[in-house]
Amino acid sequence: MARADPVPAFPSKRVRAFVTPEGVDLRLVVAEASERASAFLLDAVIIVVGLVVFTIVSLVAAFAVGVERPGAEFIFSVLLLVFFVVRYGWFVFWELRPRAATPGKRITGLRVAARDGGRLTADAVFVRNAMRELEVFLPLTLLVMPATGVDALTRLFALIWIGVFVFFPLFNRDRLRVGDLVAGTWVVRAPRRRLLPDLAERPPPAYAAFAFTPEQAFAYGEQELHVLEEVLRGSDPKIRKAVARRIRAKIGWTPAPFEDDRAFLDAYYAALRGRLEGGLLLGRRKKNKFDLTGR
Amino acid sequence: MRALTLRSSRFRQEREADWRRLEALVGRVEAGSVNRLADAELLELPELYRAAMSSLSTARSISLDSALIDYLESLCTRAYFVVYGARAKPLQRMARFFAVDWPAAVRGLWRETAFAAILLAAGIATAMVLVGRDPDWFFSFVPRELAGGRDPGATTAFLRATLYDPPESAEGLGVFATFLFTHNAQVAITAFSLGFAFGLPTALIVAYNGATMGAFIALFASRGLGFEAVGWLMIHGVTELFAVTLAAASGFRIGWSLAFPGADTRLESVRRAGREAALVMGGVVLMLMIAGVLEGFGRQLITSDLARYVIAAASLVLWCAYFYLPRGVRGAR
C-alpha cells in the first residue's frame, strides 16, 4: 500500500486496485460477506413486509368486491403477478438505477459494480439476480420441503450440495456470490462521505502561543498524526486531555498556565502536519514515531 | 513559526467549490434525475470529474488530512460510476434487444439449444414407450396433483372432457394464466441457474419435463385420443417448451464454460457466457408470458383441433423465423 493508512476503517486486504481511464486508482473496498448478508436481509424484510401488507389489502379488496365477481379475479391475478415481479424485479429494478444498489445495500453503504471497471449493464444485473434462484430460493424450498418420500441421506446430500452455492462468497477473495461470478460483477463499498472541516485551518491567533521547535514538531509520524486527527474530530474531552498530556511529555512542552488542551492539540496537529507534508514534498514519508526518515 | 496556512490547506481551499459542485451534480444524478440536468451541467460533469480525479491523486501525494482523502475517494468513486455508468435510454435499449441482441444471442446458443431439444425429445419418447407398455409407469412421471384425475384409472369419456370442455366459467382464466406464467417462469429460471452446477440438474429438469408430457400423451394415445391431446398440449406448448429449452440451453452454456473454459480463465469464460445467457433469459421470461396467456385463455376457449394445430404450427414457424432467419441489416455492435 502506497498510502500509509494507520487507522484503517477496514482491513486493507479488502482494498482492490481499480484504475480508472484517467489513471487514478480508486482503491475500491470489497464488501464483507457479513455486510452483504445484512443488506440482503434488509431487502428481504422490506419485500416480505411489503408483500404481506399488499396481500392483506388485496384480500380485503377482493372480499369487498365479492369473491365470485370478475373484479376479485382481477385482483387475484394482480396479486400473483406482483409476487412474481417483486421476487425477481426488486433487485433488478434498484440495481439498474444510477446508484446500482437496493435499499438494503444503500443502508449498508454498498453498491454493485462491474469487475472490469466498465459499465454495469442491464444484462449483468439481470443475470446476477436470476442466479439468486439457486442461492436463495432453492435452498429455502429444500428446507421447507416435506420429508416424505425422501430419505435422510438424500436430503443431507442435497443440503450439502446447495450449501456450496449458499456459502460460495466465503470461499473466494472478492466475496463473489455465484451470481456475481456469472455476471462479472462485484459488490463494493460506496459510502457517502461529507467533507469535514480542515483541522489545520484555524484563525491565526490560536497558534500564536504555540511555537514548536522543529524537533518538537517532528516527534511523531503519519500514523500518530491520523490518530490525533481522529481524536480532534471526536468529542471526548477526557481523551483529548490524556492525549495532550502524552504529547506534552513526549516533546517536553511546558504548558502555560490554564493552557487549553484543545488549542494545544490543534496547534500541534497543524505543526506536525505541516512538517510531515513538507517532508512529503521532498519524497520523504515518516510512517510513525519510530521512523527516522528525514531527520 | 511556519506559514500559517499549509500548502495542503490552500490546495483544498482553491478546489473545494468545484468538489462541492461535482458532489451536488452527482447527487442529483444518483437521485435519478439525469434527464433534469441542463445541457451545460451535463458538459460540466466530466470536467469536474476529471478535476476531482486529479485532486485525488495530488491530495494523496501532498496531504496528510485523512478526512480529505476519504472524502475525495468517495466523491471520485461516486462520480466515476455516474460518468461511466449506463447511459442508454431504456426504450432504445429495449428496441435493440428485440431487433438485434436477443435473436443473436439465441442463434449463438444453437448447439446448446439442439442438445436441450434432444434431451426433451428423449424424455418424451422414453415416457411414451414406458407408459405405453405398462401404465403403472405413469405416476413415476406425473405427480398426482398435476394429473388432476387424468390418470390410467380414468374413463375415456372423462379424458376427452378434460381436453374440450370449457371450464365452468371463463372468469378464473385470468388467475390461471397468471399462475401458469409465474410457475413456468420459475421453472425456467431454476433450470437456468442450475446450469452453474455443470448443467447436470438442468438436464434432469428438461428430461423430466419431457417425460411428464410424454406420459400424458401416451395415456391419451392409449384411448385413441393421441392426436387431440397433442393439439391440446401444443397450442401453448410450442412456445413454452421452446422457452424452457432456451433457458436450459443458457444454463448449459454456463455449465460448459465453467467446466471447459478454453483459453480464458474460468472466471472470464463464465462471465462471458453469463452475459449471453442473460440476454436469452430476458427474452425467455417474455416467451413464457405469451405461453401463459395461450395456455390460460387460448387452450380453454379454442376447442377445435384444427385451430389448435394451426396456432401451434404458426407459433413454431414464427419463433424459428424470428430467431434463425438471417438478418439483412446487421446491428452495429
Side-chain angles (χ1 to χ4, degrees):
Chain A
M1 284 295 300
R3 179 175 142 215
D5 195 352
V7 260
F10 39 78
S12 59
K13 64 175 180 181
R14 294 261 157 272
V15 176
R16 298 285 177 276
F18 187 87
V19 182
T20 70
E22 291 78 20
V24 179
D25 181 0
L26 283 179
R27 292 175 195 163
L28 290 183
V29 182
V30 175
E32 278 292 348
S34 55
E35 291 172 318
R36 301 194 49 180
S38 37
F40 176 73
L41 285 180
L42 281 170
D43 282 323
V45 167
I46 297 173
I47 292 175
V48 169
V49 169
L51 284 182
V52 166
V53 170
F54 188 78
T55 308
I56 292 172
V57 171
S58 311
L59 287 182
V60 169
F63 277 107
V65 180
V67 183
E68 298 300 319
R69 305 274 294 282
E73 185 217 331
F74 176 74
I75 292 172
F76 284 128
S77 302
V78 169
L79 188 64
L80 269 174
L81 259 189
V82 164
F83 264 80
F84 176 79
V85 167
V86 168
R87 172 168 168 181
Y88 292 103
W90 173 266
F91 295 93
V92 174
F93 171 79
W94 287 107
E95 289 175 4
L96 279 179
R97 313 215 4 127
R99 272 178 77 181
T102 58
K105 288 195 183 72
R106 286 178 188 213
I107 294 169
T108 40
L110 307 178
R111 69 167 288 142
V112 183
R115 276 206 303 279
D116 58 5
R119 288 168 185 228
L120 179 65
T121 57
D123 319 332
V125 170
F126 183 83
V127 78
R128 79 185 291 282
N129 287 308
M131 280 291 166
R132 238 176 253 282
E133 192 64 22
L134 174 71
E135 296 165 284
V136 180
F137 296 113
L138 211 61
L140 281 183
T141 322
L142 203 66
L143 281 180
V144 299
M145 193 174 65
T148 48
V150 190
D151 61 290
L153 200 63
T154 314
R155 252 171 107 82
L156 183 69
F157 278 128
L159 277 177
I160 292 174
W161 182 73
I162 281 289
V164 170
F165 302 112
V166 175
F167 296 106
F168 197 84
L170 296 178
F171 298 108
N172 65 79
R173 243 165 55 91
D174 290 340
R175 297 286 173 261
L176 304 178
R177 62 178 182 80
V178 171
D180 286 319
L181 192 82
V182 177
T185 56
W186 57 4
V187 175
V188 293
R189 283 213 190 155
R192 292 179 154 204
R193 289 185 203 282
R194 283 181 308 117
L195 183 53
L196 299 171
D198 190 345
L199 290 174
E201 201 184 329
R202 292 275 153 179
Y207 298 136
F210 303 97
F212 298 104
T213 66
E215 285 72 32
Q216 285 175 329
F218 209 56
Y220 295 101
E222 291 180 10
Q223 192 172 344
E224 292 81 15
L225 181 75
H226 290 308
V227 174
L228 182 55
E229 184 185 336
E230 297 244 313
V231 169
L232 286 172
R233 292 195 194 281
S235 56
D236 189 343
K238 268 193 227 135
I239 294 181
R240 275 209 295 273
K241 195 177 173 65
V243 171
R245 195 164 46 219
R246 290 280 293 277
I247 293 178
R248 287 190 187 111
K250 165 101 179 165
I251 65 174
W253 179 260
T254 334
F258 308 112
E259 186 178 86
D260 180 26
D261 288 335
R262 173 86 212 206
F264 169 76
L265 289 179
D266 275 341
Y268 188 72
Y269 172 82
L272 179 62
R273 198 174 116 191
R275 186 68 208 254
L276 290 174
E277 287 180 356
L280 271 190
L281 284 181
L282 302 174
R284 299 198 201 108
R285 269 186 183 273
K286 184 173 161 70
K287 284 206 193 77
N288 53 40
K289 59 187 174 186
F290 306 114
D291 186 352
L292 297 179
T293 332
R295 271 273 165 211
Chain B
M1 194 74 208
R2 311 175 50 82
L4 283 177
T5 312
L6 297 179
R7 187 184 291 264
S8 58
S9 299
R10 280 207 309 278
F11 166 80
R12 169 175 166 165
Q13 281 159 14
E14 282 160 17
R15 291 161 181 78
E16 198 174 321
D18 282 349
W19 301 339
R20 294 205 184 270
R21 175 99 184 109
L22 177 62
E23 192 182 358
L25 289 183
V26 167
R28 272 167 63 195
V29 174
E30 284 179 344
S33 55
V34 66
N35 295 327
R36 267 178 273 150
L37 288 191
D39 286 350
E41 289 172 326
L42 272 180
L43 291 176
E44 206 183 345
L45 189 65
E47 250 167 64
L48 288 171
Y49 160 76
R50 258 171 241 127
M53 280 296 197
S54 103
S55 295
L56 173 61
S57 41
T58 312
R60 274 174 179 159
S61 57
I62 70 157
S63 176
L64 289 175
D65 183 352
S66 57
L68 172 71
I69 293 174
D70 284 350
Y71 168 78
L72 280 177
E73 279 182 349
S74 142
L75 176 64
C76 287
T77 306
R78 284 169 62 194
Y80 170 81
F81 285 126
V82 165
V83 171
Y84 289 94
R87 266 291 183 285
K89 300 238 166 63
L91 272 182
Q92 284 174 351
R93 179 80 188 78
M94 288 260 277
R96 234 182 78 90
F97 175 78
F98 287 115
V100 184
D101 288 349
W102 186 29
V106 170
R107 272 199 301 282
L109 282 182
W110 69 271
R111 272 190 226 94
E112 288 83 353
T113 312
F115 179 62
I118 291 171
L119 269 180
L120 188 74
I124 296 176
T126 312
M128 280 180 71
V129 171
L130 287 176
V131 176
R133 285 218 185 118
D134 178 359
D136 286 348
W137 276 98
F138 185 80
F139 288 111
S140 309
F141 299 122
V142 184
R144 250 169 229 280
E145 317 85 69
L146 194 67
R150 288 167 290 195
D151 53 45
T155 62
T156 307
F158 173 78
L159 289 180
R160 175 179 288 279
T162 62
L163 293 186
Y164 294 107
D165 277 3
E168 290 74 50
S169 69
E171 278 165 19
L173 292 185
V175 181
F176 187 49
T178 320
F179 167 76
L180 289 170
F181 160 63
T182 55
H183 171 260
N184 291 335
Q186 231 150 288
V187 169
I189 292 177
T190 309
F192 164 67
S193 63
L194 281 172
F196 191 78
F198 301 111
L200 287 181
T202 306
L204 286 180
I205 289 182
V206 172
Y208 181 75
N209 252 6
T212 307
M213 217 167 71
F216 265 121
I217 295 175
L219 168 66
F220 282 92
S222 70
R223 311 296 172 85
L225 288 169
F227 176 78
E228 293 84 346
V230 169
W232 182 79
L233 280 170
M234 283 305 153
I235 180 170
H236 72 286
V238 168
T239 306
E240 185 183 306
L241 293 179
F242 209 145
V244 170
T245 306
L246 287 178
S250 324
F252 286 142
R253 165 58 65 93
I254 287 177
W256 184 267
S257 68
L258 188 69
F260 307 104
D264 290 327
T265 63
R266 220 168 279 270
L267 215 60
E268 176 55 28
S269 143
V270 169
R271 197 189 61 76
R272 189 172 316 154
R275 233 195 67 83
E276 271 174 64
L279 283 173
V280 175
M281 282 303 293
V284 161
V285 173
L286 187 91
M287 286 176 85
L288 288 170
M289 217 181 282
I290 297 174
V293 171
L294 279 178
E295 185 171 6
F297 288 98
R299 182 165 79 181
Q300 315 296 330
L301 301 179
I302 301 172
T303 49
S304 137
D305 285 330
L306 188 64
R308 283 175 177 177
Y309 271 95
V310 166
I311 293 179
S315 53
L316 183 66
V317 169
L318 280 178
W319 285 122
C320 285
Y322 174 54
F323 288 135
Y324 298 112
L325 269 194
R327 298 296 147 94
V329 193
R330 282 251 154 249
R333 266 261 124 175

